[in-house]
């Protein structure tokens, strides 16, 4: 995978967060099975559950007999559940506490109050790294930049693995402030940032040379498809003859939004996606409408193109509706669902794997570009590329001329 080359510092792509940072909203959560209508109860009648209970009881006896400090039963229980789920070894399946559930859903649905940044884990330096700032956000206004390493939040130091905790501490009420300390090269900088309501995913667009339209967005939230359509119609009125869709550094999001955008460019009843569960049961997702975009299309991808954005790129490539330019995508081809327990807590669990229309798997493989184009060595970070150095965009323009 491309991530094992120059950009292997990214252990987890786009655990997109904006103040609350989108805690892997980008994990392509299947919101069509909206969690609030699907509570469930865990039963402990199996022999395996009994074995676990007995094992935990032994450790509790040791704690009660020897542990010097005070025991918080609620924290012990939450820790046991969290560790149990982490034992699956799936980076996308996780426990969500009752206290975090409401914020988690707000993240997924795109309702944010925060500072307006996306972040990832930089495993090379064991730090949290700013992937990008959102246009017009508090973070952009004070000068936070892509590539900045977050050292401290309100005086507390965090490592890469502490990203969820750090994001929780960056959250807060509108109008309150948070102090972020960052490392930029050899500089240590400190910013006091006031939290605001932020539009998480602005769909940006413009007309390039030779009447080529250009649309870019960094995730799929609940309004992305409609925003994309509005932006395309705006560019179309300006006389564009072809279109570049920039999915570089797009970590995914809501699958249905990606499929709706794909529907704009494909024939009615075309297969867009196969979803396969653990029992090999399939759900076939098809285009519902006639296409509204009928022009040459090129999609830009890189190793940070993940999940729902890979669905869009893979479908258009397989169906012959677009060419892919750039580098191989991340390779996240599984879908999560949020399930809520009766006590208000819950979990995000991997339930299905998806495949492209040609039955190609994406997970741990990614989407190969039709035209592989690397950025020049002078580019310090794929997160912040100057237009004059953007060889991938230049190649797309050349192909469409």
């Amino acid at each position: 995978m491309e991530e094992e080359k120059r950009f292997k510092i990214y252990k987890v792509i786009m655990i997109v967060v904006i103040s609350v940072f989108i805690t892997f909203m980008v994990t392509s959560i299947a919101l069509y099975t909206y969690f609030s209508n699907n509570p469930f109860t865990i039963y402990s009648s199996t022999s395996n559950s009994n074995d676990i209970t007995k094992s935990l009881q032994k450790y509790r006896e040791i704690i009660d007999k020897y542990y010097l400090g005070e025991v918080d039963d609620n924290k012990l229980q939450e820790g046991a559940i969290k560790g149990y789920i982490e034992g699956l070894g799936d980076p996308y399946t996780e426990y969500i506490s009752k206290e975090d559930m409401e914020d988690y859903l707000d993240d997924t649905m795109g309702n944010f109050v925060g500072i307006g940044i996306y972040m990832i884990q930089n495993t090379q330096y064991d730090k949290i790294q700013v992937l990008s700032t959102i246009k017009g956000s508090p973070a952009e206004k004070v000068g936070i930049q892509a590539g900045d390493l977050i050292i401290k939040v309100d005086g507390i130091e965090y490592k890469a693995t502490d990203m969820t905790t750090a994001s929780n501490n960056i959250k807060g009420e509108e109008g309150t402030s948070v102090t972020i300390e960052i490392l930029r090269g050899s500089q240590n900088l400190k910013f006091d940032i006031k939290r605001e309501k932020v539009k998480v995913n602005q769909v940006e667009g413009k007309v390039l040379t030779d009447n080529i339209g250009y649309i870019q967005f960094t995730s799929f939230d609940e309004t992305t498809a409609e925003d994309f359509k509005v932006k395309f119609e705006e560019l179309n009125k300006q006389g564009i003859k072809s279109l570049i869709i920039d999915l570089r550094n797009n970590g995914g999001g809501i699958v249905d939004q990606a499929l709706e955008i794909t529907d704009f460019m494909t024939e009615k009843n075309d297969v867009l996606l196969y979803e396969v569960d653990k029992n090999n049961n399939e759900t076939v997702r098809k285009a519902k409408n006639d296409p509204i975009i009928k022009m040459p299309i090129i999609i830009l991808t890189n190793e940070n193109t993940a999940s729902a954005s890979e669905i869009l790129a893979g479908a258009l490539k397989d169906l012959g509706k677009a060419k892919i330019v750039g580098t191989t995508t991340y390779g996240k081809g599984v879908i999560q669902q949020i399930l809520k327990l009766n006590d208000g807590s819950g979990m995000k669990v991997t339930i299905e794997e998806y495949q492209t229309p040609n039955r190609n798997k994406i997970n741990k493989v990614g989407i190969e570009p039709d035209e592989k184009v690397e950025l020049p060595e002078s580019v310090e970070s794929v997160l912040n590329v100057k237009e004059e150095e953007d060889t991938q965009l230049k190649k797309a323009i050349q192909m469409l001329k």
Side-chain angles (χ1 to χ4, degrees), residues 20-284:
V20 277
F21 302 117
I22 308 175
T23 34
F24 224 77
M25 157 181 118
V26 267
T27 52
S28 301
I29 298 167
L31 290 177
Y32 54 86
T33 49
Y34 191 66
F35 85 100
S36 62
N37 296 321
N38 294 281
F40 67 92
T41 304
I42 292 180
Y43 297 95
S44 57
S45 58
T46 66
S47 58
N48 284 340
S49 296
N50 288 333
D51 290 342
I52 294 169
T53 301
K54 290 177 182 178
S55 296
L56 291 176
Q57 183 59 39
K58 291 178 183 178
Y59 285 103
R60 181 55 191 262
E61 290 172 1
I62 294 172
I63 291 171
D64 289 341
K65 185 174 182 179
Y66 296 107
Y67 180 61
L68 179 63
E70 294 185 3
V71 176
D72 186 322
D73 288 330
N74 290 331
K75 288 185 177 179
L76 281 179
Q77 180 175 314
E78 287 224 341
I81 296 171
K82 185 177 180 180
Y84 186 71
I85 295 172
E86 286 179 351
L88 293 171
D90 179 0
Y92 310 122
T93 295
E94 63 179 303
Y95 168 73
I96 307 170
S97 69
K98 178 181 179 180
E99 292 74 21
D100 291 339
M101 180 62 79
E102 183 176 349
D103 286 338
Y104 200 98
L105 288 171
D106 283 345
D107 294 354
T108 303
M109 298 305 292
N111 305 313
F112 303 111
V113 173
I115 65 172
I117 66 173
Y118 297 102
M119 73 178 187
I120 57 175
Q121 292 175 332
N122 184 323
T123 55
Q124 180 181 3
Y125 296 104
D126 196 19
K127 297 296 181 184
I128 301 164
Q129 183 174 17
V130 176
L131 179 64
S132 63
T133 59
I134 293 174
K135 187 176 181 180
S137 68
E140 184 192 54
K141 291 174 184 176
V142 301
I144 296 288
Q145 297 179 9
D148 286 348
L149 297 175
I150 296 175
I151 307 301
K152 294 181 180 179
V153 177
D154 283 337
I156 301 174
E157 188 169 352
Y158 293 100
K159 297 180 179 180
T161 53
D162 300 322
M163 188 157 62
T164 298
T165 304
S167 71
N168 288 337
N169 289 333
I170 290 175
K171 290 184 293 185
E173 295 182 1
E174 184 177 7
T176 61
S177 295
V178 60
T179 300
I180 308 292
E181 295 181 44
I182 64 101
L183 178 65
R184 181 183 299 161
S186 60
Q187 289 183 294
N188 282 81
L189 304 172
K190 182 183 290 188
F191 299 90
D192 292 318
I193 310 173
K194 182 176 289 188
R195 301 177 177 99
E196 299 176 5
K197 287 184 179 179
V198 179
K199 171 63 177 175
V200 60
N201 183 36
Q202 295 177 330
V203 176
E204 302 287 345
K206 58 185 176 181
V207 179
L208 304 175
T209 181
D210 294 300
N211 295 319
I212 299 171
Y214 172 89
I215 296 178
Q216 184 269 342
F217 51 100
T218 52
S219 65
F220 295 82
D221 64 28
E222 62 182 345
T223 66
T224 301
E226 181 59 30
D227 293 344
F228 179 93
K229 182 180 179 181
V230 169
K231 182 58 64 176
F232 169 76
E233 290 173 345
E234 175 186 315
L235 298 179
N236 199 37
K237 289 179 181 178
Q238 298 178 51
I240 63 171
K241 303 300 181 182
S242 57
L243 180 65
I244 295 172
I245 302 174
D246 194 343
L247 296 180
R248 293 175 295 180
N249 305 316
N250 185 317
I254 302 174
V255 171
D256 283 354
Q257 292 292 306
L259 292 175
E260 189 172 341
I261 293 175
T262 309
D263 201 330
F264 296 154
M265 294 165 271
T266 52
E267 304 298 325
K268 187 174 182 179
N269 293 321
D270 277 350
V271 172
L272 307 181
L273 180 70
Y274 294 99
E275 299 172 349
V276 186
D277 68 14
K278 66 185 299 181
N279 298 314
N280 287 321
N281 296 318
E282 283 189 352
T283 300
V284 182

Side-chain angles (χ1 to χ4, degrees), residues 1-12 121-124 303:
M1 292 175 62
E2 294 288 334
E3 59 178 350
E4 293 176 356
K5 297 183 180 179
R6 181 150 53 106
F7 309 110
K8 63 181 179 181
I9 61 174
Y10 307 124
K11 180 181 178 183
V12 178
Q121 292 175 332
N122 184 323
T123 55
Q124 180 181 3
E303 58 275 19

